Amino acid sequence: MKKIFRIGALMTALLIAMTGCGSIDWLRGSLGAKEDGRVSAKSDEAVGQPAQAESQAAPVAANSNARSQVGTVHVLFAFDRSDLNKAAQTDLLSLIKKLRENPKFTVGLEGYADSAGARDYNLQLTQKRVEAVRRYLVEKGVEASRIRSDSLGQIADGGTQEERAKNRRVTIKLLGAE
């Protein structure tokens, strides 16, 4: 299973590099993470342990050269959907305004899914959700070099509709230079 995930992580890193939404430093960090086991640990721990999933998301900001978190926006998605609704677009427009006002700010995107469905499917779904947010930001004028992204897959929930709905999201961390 670890070998399959490592191959998947490598393919994802290459795909991101080829589409231009990751920097060379980020790519090197991702490929280096494969060798020391962080990539598989991130995925394995993200399922069933929400608190650890949040702490495992730190590598998104780690390559941002000493950045501090300025704000957070949660973009929620409907069940099994990756398209942005009007509320999400409105939230993103206010974030874009802050990015325009502060050219040194960057964003870290972290994609999640609820616990319903297969793990591999949910990882693909979170990648689509993160890509939808990234694409929207770029279409509205945010430079791709200011965006870092990570798809963390499904996280455990208590099984209620409300809990699952909160987990179908992309968390956007607004990062400023320290």
Side-chain angles (χ1 to χ4, degrees), residues 93-106:
L93 286 174
S94 65
L95 177 76
I96 291 166
K97 181 181 176 190
K98 289 180 185 178
L99 288 167
R100 285 183 182 146
E101 293 169 356
N102 302 286
K104 292 188 178 187
F105 283 1
T106 61

Side-chain angles (χ1 to χ4, degrees), residues 47 79-80 113-123 125 154 164:
V47 177
F79 178 76
D80 199 26
D114 61 25
S115 63
R119 182 186 217 180
D120 291 338
Y121 179 81
N122 282 337
L123 184 58
L125 181 59
Q154 68 188 34
R164 284 198 294 266

Side-chain angles (χ1 to χ4, degrees), residues 12-32 59-65 67 106-107 134 143-149:
T12 302
L14 290 174
L15 178 64
I16 290 171
M18 290 181 352
T19 60
C21 66
S23 68
I24 295 298
D25 291 337
W26 176 84
L27 180 61
R28 285 184 187 132
S30 294
L31 294 176
V60 171
N63 291 326
S64 300
N65 297 331
R67 299 260 180 204
T106 61
V107 292
R134 188 195 70 76
E143 299 86 6
S145 62
R146 296 174 68 188
I147 304 169
R148 302 288 180 260
S149 61

